[in-house]
Amino acid sequence: MAIEEKNQEGLRSGNLSVSRRDFIEKAGLATVLSSFGVAFFTSCVSSDDSDPTGSTPGGGSTSNGITISGSTIAINLTIQTRLASAGGWLLIETAKTLVANISGTYVAMTSVCTHSGCFDSWSFSNNRFICNCHNSIFDSAGKVVQGPASTALQVYSTSVSGTTLTISK
Ligand code: FES
């Protein structure tokens, strides 16, 4: 009887101990996941809020005039006025797309650099895109002007209807 009670108590204790351990592990995991979720959410929000080049969350119409639907990007040129004049450009981070006004003609291409995949750090000067990661330079047709990249950027088709610029990837 004493042994049984001891065993039962031992099992109970063991179960209780495991339960506590499980609880602590799960609570710790929940805390980590919760923190990650908050950090991820904050990161997304701050990225959208701080991005001076007009990135937009995927899907839906947004206040920055950029709508992403599948492989199509529609840009309201009355909102994205920086594209209205020659030399204006955008990096649409969420769609990993570069777009520029080259003497009144719109060009668009992937922002995923063919050197090692940077997609979110670009400059534009003299009708050339510069990947800021390792300074590869691409012309307005996506061709490499200066390495280390050796392969052209994938170019997308563009069309304008009214005040909407559409990019088809
Ligand atoms: Fe663009 Fe290296 S990733 S130059």
Side-chain angles (χ1 to χ4, degrees):
M1 183 67 175
I3 293 172
E4 247 177 44
E5 283 175 3
K6 197 171 186 180
N7 283 346
Q8 283 178 350
E9 187 59 32
L11 281 174
R12 246 185 248 127
S13 293
N15 286 341
L16 188 59
S17 174
V18 170
S19 292
R20 279 187 185 149
R21 187 177 306 126
D22 280 350
F23 174 78
I24 290 167
E25 286 174 357
K26 287 174 183 171
L29 180 60
T31 301
V32 169
L33 289 175
S34 173
S35 299
F36 175 76
V38 169
F40 178 75
F41 179 74
T42 302
S43 165
C44 289
V45 169
S46 64
S47 170
D48 287 338
D49 287 345
S50 63
D51 180 8
T53 57
S55 74
T56 181
S61 184
T62 64
S63 60
N64 65 9
I66 301 174
T67 303
I68 302 169
S69 178
S71 59
T72 301
I73 304 166
I75 302 173
N76 183 329
L77 296 171
T78 63
I79 296 174
Q80 286 294 338
T81 54
R82 73 193 83 191
L83 283 174
S85 54
W89 73 288
L90 286 175
L91 163 61
I92 307 171
E93 272 189 46
T94 308
K96 295 180 179 171
T97 298
L98 296 164
V99 56
N101 180 330
I102 307 293
S103 303
T105 299
Y106 292 101
V107 298
M109 59 198 77
T110 180
S111 73
V112 180
C113 182
T114 55
H115 173 232
S116 64
C118 285
F119 65 91
D120 59 355
S121 182
W122 289 86
S123 301
F124 184 75
S125 177
N126 296 322
N127 293 342
R128 292 178 172 181
F129 291 102
I130 301 105
C131 175
N132 296 324
C133 291
H134 310 100
N135 297 317
S136 286
I137 301 175
F138 302 84
D139 69 14
S140 60
K143 293 180 180 158
V144 176
V145 174
Q146 173 186 297
S150 60
T151 305
L153 297 173
Q154 182 183 1
V155 174
Y156 304 138
S157 66
T158 63
S159 63
V160 178
S161 177
T163 58
T164 301
L165 165 63
T166 300
I167 300 169
S168 301
K169 298 173 75 175

